[in-house]
Each structure stands twice: as C-alpha cells, then as structure tokens.
Amino acid sequence: MQLFHNPPFRYDRSLSHPPHVVIEQDSTRWPGYNLGRRSASVGFKIMKIVRDVESMKGVLRPFAGRRVGLVPTMGALHSGHLSLVHEMKKHADVVVLSIFVNPLQFSPGEDYEKYPRCEEEDCKKCADAGVDVVYIPSVEGMYPDGFSTGVDVGPMARELCGASRHNFINGIMVVLIKLVMQTNAHCMILGEKDYQMLCLTRKLFRDLNIGVDVLQGDTVRSPEGLALSSRHKYLNGAEIAKAGFLYKFLLEVGKNLSDAPDDQQEIITRGKLRLEQEGFKVDYLEVRDNNTLERIQTFSRPARVFLAVNLGCCRLIDNILLA
C-alpha cells in the first residue's frame, strides 16, 4: 500500500518552515520514494525509502565497506526513536531506520491490528533527523508463505514482559536477525526502556556469533517523566498526566531499596499495592541483576527495578538502574 501521492515528492529545505512540498520528477530509479534533502558524508543527498530486500541491497551496494547502522522500529516515531538516530550517526556512516509492525511478537488479543501506523509522518521525521535509508518491508516480504523458523533465547524470554506476552521476546528476536541480515548492518541500537530486549538481543547475537554491535540508547522522557512510547497514542490527557507518576514511583522505590536493602520484599509488596491504589493494573514490579537479569532476593548493586502496568487500554513499561 502506498501512502504517498504520485509523483513522489521531497522537501526543499531552502524554503520556509514548515517545508513546502515540491515535485521530485526524477525518482523512478529508486523502488521507493525520495524524501528530504540532506548532506551526508557517504554521498546520500536524498533520503531513500525502500520496501524489499533486493532494493535495500541495491541502495547500499555503492557504499560497500562503509559502516551501516540499523535503528529498528515499529513506526509511530517519537523523540525517543529520533534520539536513537542521532546516537547512531556517531557510530555509522549510513543510518538505516526500519519500520515494521512485527506480527510475530504479538499474542492473540493484543493490539497488532490497531497499533499506530503513520508512515508518511514517520518518513518526514526521518528526513528531518538525517536518516539515509528508511526500510519499510511488507509482512509478505518478511514472512513469505512457508516461513516457519523460530528463535528461543531461553528461559529469560518467558520472564518479565515475556511472562504475560508469550510470543513477545522470541518474536522480536526473529525479526531483528532478519533485519540485520537484510541491511548488512554492522551495528544496531535499542533503547534502555526496552532493557530486557536489549540484554537478550546481545545474548542472542553472542550465542550465534552474529558480529553486530548492539548499542544502548538513553530513555527519553516527557516533561512529566513518562518514558516515551508509541502506544501513548492510546492515552487521553488525564491518563498521560496519571502515567507521569510511574517514574517518580520508580525513583522512590530505588531510594527505599538503597536505604533499607534488607527490606526488598516488603518494599516491592508495598509498591505493588501503591500502584493499584493509583489506578494501575500491575503486571510486574521486580528487582533484577543489571547484567544477568536474574532475580535478586537480597538487594545488591548493580541492580535494575523493572515495572509493567496497564492504564486503560495501554501497557506501560519502565525501568531504572541502581548502580
């Protein structure tokens, strides 16, 4: 499905902001659309948008030997995603951002069908951020008829988020392997907000000798402290204000653990009750070892406090490091 009108267009940044749309007549040589003027050290002047593996290989072929960095996303981009782009530009010559709502990581009854999709707006944000290539594969292209290969990264895939979202972690691992292979990425970046996924991706790549560096990007928060997520589109104004409580709550739990490390179990029990009193449905509130993600029975550092709650129809996750 094409979301852009024909003929393709680009932004002329010499014009006033917000940018005017001008026609890009000679863009049929690319299988996707050209959007956004930029200056890149590797030679890209116009951001490329491609939708299949062969087109991706063709776009990157002239830059063999250059370092390719992948920013995997499901779209509905926000400032957190764009911060990953800016960080990746420090580590790679060519920045590829993928947009793919991955059906394998959704369980029946979850929000796969209604997950926010705003391709045109996302591509504009990518152009402004200086992305070189936006990769938007189709479900049919990613998982053709007969596809049946899976990945299991072990018991930790069934803990924390994986305990209630049974397909989540292993479904993500499949698509990440495919994306790094399809883009020939040398490095990839994931946000700290998804710390479980970050750790397990590093484990997977290490176990399978996949020579891709997995970088960590900082969690980006709203003025209220809420860790940004594409699913915040599900929240109304009152719910967004209420969700800002979560970061303050995590900081409070961290302080309590530091002050009374022997009282960890009581602190977590009281914390869950507090969340419920504030109107959240608690999935988990746990203290884990920062490096192994194993449960900590007696608090010690470095540790990380993880939480997942539901507010209305929106699932919210966050974590903080106690180093």
Side-chain angles (χ1 to χ4, degrees), residues 89-203:
K89 289 166 70 175
K90 302 174 186 177
H91 301 272
D93 300 309
V94 180
V95 176
V96 178
L97 183 141
S98 64
I99 297 175
F100 181 66
V101 182
N102 176 32
L104 291 192
Q105 69 191 67
F106 290 82
S107 296
E110 292 189 342
D111 59 339
Y112 173 71
E113 294 295 337
K114 71 173 186 177
Y115 192 88
R117 292 166 171 84
C118 37
E119 184 180 306
E120 182 172 357
E121 181 181 347
D122 285 345
C123 288
K124 294 174 184 177
K125 291 178 179 179
C126 287
D128 288 337
V131 171
D132 293 291
V133 183
V134 179
Y135 180 38
I136 314 177
S138 66
V139 174
E140 296 75 18
M142 190 66 77
Y143 305 124
D145 288 343
F147 183 90
S148 61
T149 300
V151 174
D152 189 340
V153 291
M156 195 58 68
R158 291 171 284 280
E159 299 186 26
L160 295 172
C161 282
S164 58
R165 304 188 66 192
H166 303 300
N167 300 332
F168 180 60
I169 297 295
N170 289 327
I172 290 174
M173 296 301 116
V174 172
V175 78
L176 290 181
I177 291 176
K178 297 202 70 167
L179 287 170
V180 297
M181 295 179 68
Q182 291 170 352
T183 60
N184 291 330
H186 298 83
C187 52
M188 178 177 69
I189 190 165
L190 300 172
E192 185 180 10
K193 180 175 75 72
D194 300 302
Y195 193 75
Q196 180 186 16
M197 182 171 69
L198 173 72
C199 289
L200 292 181
T201 302
R202 285 174 168 165
K203 178 183 185 302

Side-chain angles (χ1 to χ4, degrees), residues 193-263:
K193 180 175 75 72
D194 300 302
Y195 193 75
Q196 180 186 16
M197 182 171 69
L198 173 72
C199 289
L200 292 181
T201 302
R202 285 174 168 165
K203 178 183 185 302
L204 173 70
F205 286 14
R206 183 174 61 250
D207 288 352
L208 298 184
N209 302 113
I210 298 173
V212 176
D213 297 329
V214 182
L215 310 177
Q216 176 177 319
D218 294 336
T219 299
V220 176
R221 300 183 180 277
S222 71
E224 298 80 16
L226 181 60
L228 296 185
S229 167
S230 299
R231 285 187 168 91
H232 292 172
K233 293 179 181 289
Y234 301 156
L235 299 174
N236 60 38
E239 289 170 332
I240 289 176
K242 176 179 285 191
F245 164 80
L246 294 175
Y247 182 52
K248 303 180 184 68
F249 169 80
L250 278 175
L251 294 176
E252 180 181 317
V253 170
K255 183 178 184 304
N256 291 341
L257 287 169
S258 298
D259 292 343
D262 294 336
D263 296 337

Side-chain angles (χ1 to χ4, degrees), residues 59 89 100 162 297 322:
V59 165
K89 289 166 70 175
F100 181 66
Q297 300 302 324
L322 303 177

